[in-house]
Amino acid sequence: MVSQLVKHERIETTVAKAKEIRRLADNMVQLGKEGSLFAARRAAAFVRGDDVIHKLFTELAYRYKDRAGGYTRLLRTRIRVGDAAPMAYIEFIDRENELRQSKPPTPQPPQRPSLDPWTRSRLSRQFAPPKEEKSSESNI
């Protein structure tokens, strides 16, 4: 199924299979980005077809060269008639004819200067308000 995903770039399958395919397909793209002979042999042992391996090491490796992970997207679609299995599309992101556009990257928060442990402990203390004393006399 990973070979078919690389070949067609989008397939419909059950949600459980798609979750497993996502993990394996991301590993194959990582091998494609590595680009070594050893990575090509590891990928060839897993996926089938010379055209699939060529696409993995040329087109997909170039497309995701700046991305650090998360190359696939899982979109739940319907409940299959017959056995009521939940179905989903699994597709590669950042391609033409996507079902949904990718979200823009979130900006990283600015780095705060590191504090020594004593200062951090003193700044993190939170003091409770003073206790109110209960009076034993009740005004009726």
Side-chain angles (χ1 to χ4, degrees):
M1 288 188 89
V2 175
S3 301
Q4 294 302 310
L5 176 64
V6 171
K7 186 175 182 179
H8 299 289
E9 296 195 14
R10 181 193 309 151
I11 57 175
E12 186 180 21
T13 183
T14 62
V15 172
K17 288 180 184 177
K19 287 180 180 180
E20 187 66 22
I21 292 169
R22 175 174 53 186
R23 183 176 65 88
L24 299 171
D26 285 356
N27 288 342
M28 291 299 112
V29 173
Q30 278 296 122
L31 290 175
K33 284 173 59 176
E34 191 176 318
S36 66
L37 178 62
F38 179 64
R41 287 180 177 164
R42 284 181 60 196
F46 193 79
V47 296
R48 299 290 176 230
D50 292 337
D51 56 340
V52 173
I53 294 172
H54 183 265
K55 184 175 185 177
L56 195 60
F57 279 81
T58 54
E59 183 180 335
L60 295 179
Y62 179 75
R63 187 188 306 170
Y64 300 122
K65 66 181 180 216
D66 296 330
R67 184 176 280 273
Y71 310 111
T72 54
R73 173 185 302 131
L74 189 78
L75 297 170
R76 294 173 185 260
T77 56
R78 62 187 175 95
I79 303 296
R80 184 165 58 192
V81 177
D83 63 351
M87 300 296 286
Y89 278 117
I90 181 168
E91 67 176 0
F92 284 110
I93 60 173
D94 295 338
R95 67 180 193 92
E96 57 277 349
N97 299 327
E98 288 186 295
L99 293 177
R100 190 181 81 201
Q101 295 298 320
S102 299
K103 296 177 184 176
T106 57
Q108 295 293 326
Q111 294 291 327
R112 291 186 282 165
S114 61
L115 301 173
D116 63 297
W118 302 110
T119 309
R120 188 179 322 130
S121 174
R122 192 171 58 241
L123 291 175
S124 66
R125 286 186 195 151
Q126 295 179 352
F127 297 101
K131 289 185 175 180
E132 296 180 12
E133 294 184 20
K134 294 183 181 179
S135 60
S136 59
E137 300 175 12
S138 306
N139 293 341
I140 299 179

